[in-house]
Amino acid sequence: MIVAGDQQMLKQINRMALVRQLCSQPGLSRAALAETVGLTKSTVSMLVRELLDEGWLTESELRSTGALGRRATPLHIDGSRLALLGADMGIGEARLVATNLLGEVLAERVLPYADANDPGACIAAAAAAMAELARPDGALSGRTVLGTGVGLHGVVDDVMGMLHYAPHLGWRNVDVAGQLRAHFEGTALAGLPLYVQNEANVAALAELEFSGQVDADPLIYLSIGYGVGSGIIVNGRLLTGLYGFAGEVGHTILQQNGPPCSCGRRGCADALIGLQALMDEVYGKLSGASPEQLERLFQQSESGDPAACKAIEAAGRNLGVLLNNLWVAFDPMCIVIGGAAIRLGERFIEPGRRVLNDCASATLLPAPTIRTPRFGLNAIAIGGGAMVRHYLMRPFADDGAARRNAGRAGAPSTLAAGFWAWS
């Protein structure tokens, strides 16, 4: 039975199919788009006209094909009229970025938290800064904002917009999406799409949407900060799993009977390669952690301090074990190593690459490409904008969300609660 809205959904799917095709193949003409996507030329012409009017697409100069008849007009994604907002709700600060549809940064803000122990105040300050960016007379004047995406450093229920646990902030069961929507009321962001997701997933979407690589799928973004997480892209989609916990690799066991982890087990990736574990190794477990101490670790690494370099080398070898595990589990084309740990540089990454290559040589198969993020410190914030583009360009029913909601109905609450307790 056809119900109200079906034709509109089909139209939107077709519109965004054209946009996605031009993301991967800029410069196609209307006729080439029709042939590639499988729509009639008249349908493509009508949809392209709408997308041009709305600011999604732009035309370039007519191109001569040598054939008789009307010359083809190349079409491209328009970077001049629309904007995407992204935020990285980090450990000590929020990083906000506005980009165009091509991922080019239009404006950015860094907002230190007045009190990182007060999630409500942190969210309110970030919301106010984002609303300020989106003001009609603000930094994005003349552009239409399409939506906002937020990366959170913890276990996130993206369906409900809930941050269940951020271990290095101490935030528990915070309705981030609900609070943001409340603060956006009366601003230019009211009613616009809003997405929240774990920071590694968000950074993975930045690499998928904005890196310009059409052959980097499957892709894994391995985020190494105080702890370890990952975002996994397969067939152009973010792999989130039944309950949204896919990619939580920080508690995969790398070493039986290894060092104790905060989860109560031993030998987890967090306890072997996370920055907290590195600081514990170099400075002792009673030293705690602070931005100043982390900066000291980076400086000692850069200067070649023997104790720091020994610990970093050992962590790098364990990184290689994790890289191998991810490789054989997902067979990715590329693994991007991001997070604060990339400041340790090749002292950290090269030992991991060597371990992975040794494992690959034993199988006679090529190892995946290992590289660092294309967007540096802004990887998560830019990923927030990429998340908006990603979901707007894929207006399908979210089967993963539906499956998770169905699974929750019959799942014991202790399953999720136990996971959040040690993530």
Side-chain angles (χ1 to χ4, degrees):
M1 181 182 71
I2 301 295
V3 297
D6 280 3
Q7 292 303 312
Q8 279 300 109
M9 174 59 74
L10 180 60
K11 179 180 179 181
Q12 185 64 0
I13 288 172
N14 289 337
R15 279 163 43 98
M16 292 298 106
L18 301 181
V19 174
R20 291 199 310 277
Q21 194 64 44
L22 287 169
C23 286
S24 59
Q25 288 183 279
L28 292 178
S29 66
R30 289 167 175 80
L33 268 178
E35 182 177 353
T36 304
V37 177
L39 297 174
T40 66
K41 291 182 180 179
S42 60
T43 297
V44 168
S45 293
M46 176 192 68
L47 298 179
V48 165
R49 189 181 313 116
E50 292 181 3
L51 293 166
L52 288 168
D53 291 342
E54 294 171 20
W56 284 90
L57 302 182
T58 185
E59 296 177 313
S60 57
E61 294 182 4
L62 293 175
R63 183 177 64 208
S64 177
T65 63
L68 296 176
R70 183 177 178 180
R71 289 185 293 172
T73 304
L75 296 165
H76 301 269
I77 302 300
D78 191 345
S80 65
R81 291 185 286 167
L82 302 178
L84 310 163
L85 278 184
D88 171 11
M89 298 293 292
I91 304 302
E93 64 187 20
R95 186 173 290 267
L96 317 175
V97 169
T99 75
N100 63 13
L101 285 179
L102 301 171
E104 297 164 344
V105 174
L106 305 172
E108 57 184 301
R109 304 281 188 274
V110 178
L111 191 68
Y113 298 145
D115 181 3
N117 295 315
D118 185 345
C122 295
I123 293 168
M130 285 187 276
E132 180 69 21
L133 275 178
R135 282 178 51 183
D137 59 346
L140 305 180
S141 177
R143 293 178 181 267
T144 300
V145 177
L146 294 177
T148 303
V150 180
L152 302 170
H153 293 246
V155 180
V156 178
D157 182 337
D158 59 310
V159 177
M160 303 301 295
M162 178 78 70
L163 172 66
H164 286 295
Y165 183 42
H168 300 290
L169 280 167
W171 297 2
R172 287 182 180 271
N173 298 324
V174 180
D175 183 6
V176 176
Q179 291 189 37
L180 285 172
R181 288 192 182 97
H183 291 302
F184 288 160
E185 285 298 323
T187 76
L189 299 178
L192 294 183
L194 170 65
Y195 307 94
V196 301
Q197 185 54 270
N198 169 267
E199 49 90 19
N201 289 336
V202 171
L205 289 173
E207 298 292 332
L208 174 71
E209 296 291 336
F210 293 148
S211 72
Q213 284 190 308
V214 296
D215 58 349
D217 183 353
L219 176 144
I220 296 175
Y221 185 98
L222 183 60
S223 178
I224 306 175
Y226 287 97
V228 182
S230 71
I232 303 166
I233 303 290
V234 179
N235 293 330
R237 301 288 293 269
L238 189 64
L239 180 64
T240 54
L242 178 60
Y243 294 102
F245 301 152
E248 290 287 346
V249 299
H251 298 287
T252 56
I253 303 296
L254 302 185
Q255 186 182 109
Q256 284 287 350
N257 300 316
C261 181
S262 60
C263 71
R265 302 185 301 170
R266 288 182 170 272
C268 295
D270 266 18
L272 289 163
I273 64 177
L275 290 176
Q276 179 66 65
L278 268 175
M279 287 188 285
D280 289 346
E281 178 68 22
V282 176
Y283 306 120
K285 290 186 179 295
L286 299 180
S287 59
S290 67
E292 295 76 20
Q293 190 175 76
L294 185 57
E295 185 62 33
R296 179 185 170 196
L297 178 67
F298 293 145
Q299 291 174 359
Q300 286 182 263
S301 172
E302 292 168 5
S303 65
D305 175 79
C309 291
K310 180 181 178 182
I312 293 166
E313 167 81 18
R317 291 194 298 271
N318 285 305
L319 167 64
V321 177
L322 180 58
L323 292 175
N324 176 69
N325 292 348
L326 292 171
W327 172 45
V328 298
F330 297 100
D331 192 18
M333 296 190 70
C334 179
I335 300 178
V336 181
I337 300 177
I342 62 172
R343 282 195 57 190
L344 298 173
E346 286 301 306
R347 290 186 188 277
F348 177 58
I349 296 174
E350 183 54 31
R353 189 182 285 116
R354 287 199 305 268
V355 170
L356 175 62
N357 288 335
D358 287 345
C359 296
S361 65
T363 66
L364 302 180
L365 293 172
T369 299
I370 304 296
R371 63 171 175 83
T372 54
R374 302 191 182 280
F375 307 106
L377 293 175
N378 281 336
I380 299 167
I382 289 176
M387 181 162 54
V388 176
R389 192 183 97 156
H390 179 80
Y391 286 117
L392 290 181
M393 291 198 313
R394 293 162 178 79
F396 318 111
D398 188 346
D399 295 334
R403 188 169 62 252
R404 268 178 269 151
N405 282 332
R408 282 194 189 96
S413 60
T414 53
L415 171 65
F419 186 92
W420 302 332
W422 53 261
S423 295

